[in-house]
Amino acid sequence: MSKLYTSRKKNSNQKISRPVSCRIIVDKDRCKACELCIFYCPTKYLKQSLDLNKKGVKYIEINPKTNCIGCGFCFFICPETCIEVHEE
């Protein structure tokens, strides 16, 4: 599994082609449940958990009913940088 979007440092020479299948990793304890990633995800791959994190909020988790296309919207929109996108 290779990392697709894991850092906001931009390399101007870097070209990213989207793979067929991706996986999201969410640092649930950094998540503040703003739900921006849920709103902007075109496949609704993310959803709000029923459990609480250390901040006492319902963090974001994977919705097993859908697939990630690797667009990176969730990664770029997250104000807490708690989302990573990995190629499978």
Side-chain angles (χ1 to χ4, degrees):
M1 175 175 56
S2 63
K3 296 178 181 180
L4 191 58
Y5 299 107
T6 59
S7 172
R8 291 200 181 166
K9 294 178 184 174
K10 187 173 181 177
N11 178 353
S12 60
N13 296 327
Q14 182 180 13
K15 292 183 180 179
I16 298 176
S17 60
R18 285 190 272 157
V20 175
S21 179
C22 289
R23 184 171 67 92
I24 303 295
I25 296 176
V26 178
D27 183 345
K28 68 178 185 178
D29 290 324
R30 288 177 56 193
C31 179
K32 65 179 184 181
C34 66
E35 298 184 23
L36 288 171
C37 56
I38 294 173
F39 181 78
Y40 285 101
C41 178
T43 62
K44 302 303 177 203
Y45 185 63
L46 299 168
K47 66 176 186 166
Q48 192 174 45
S49 171
L50 298 176
D51 299 324
L52 301 177
N53 65 9
K54 290 181 181 179
K55 293 181 180 180
V57 297
K58 294 180 180 180
Y59 58 89
I60 302 308
E61 66 181 6
I62 305 305
N63 181 358
K65 297 178 182 177
T66 63
N67 293 314
C68 176
I69 60 170
C71 66
F73 288 167
C74 58
F75 170 79
F76 289 108
I77 200 70
C78 180
E80 300 300 313
T81 62
C82 64
I83 297 175
E84 293 182 359
V85 181
H86 293 266
E87 181 179 2
E88 287 191 316

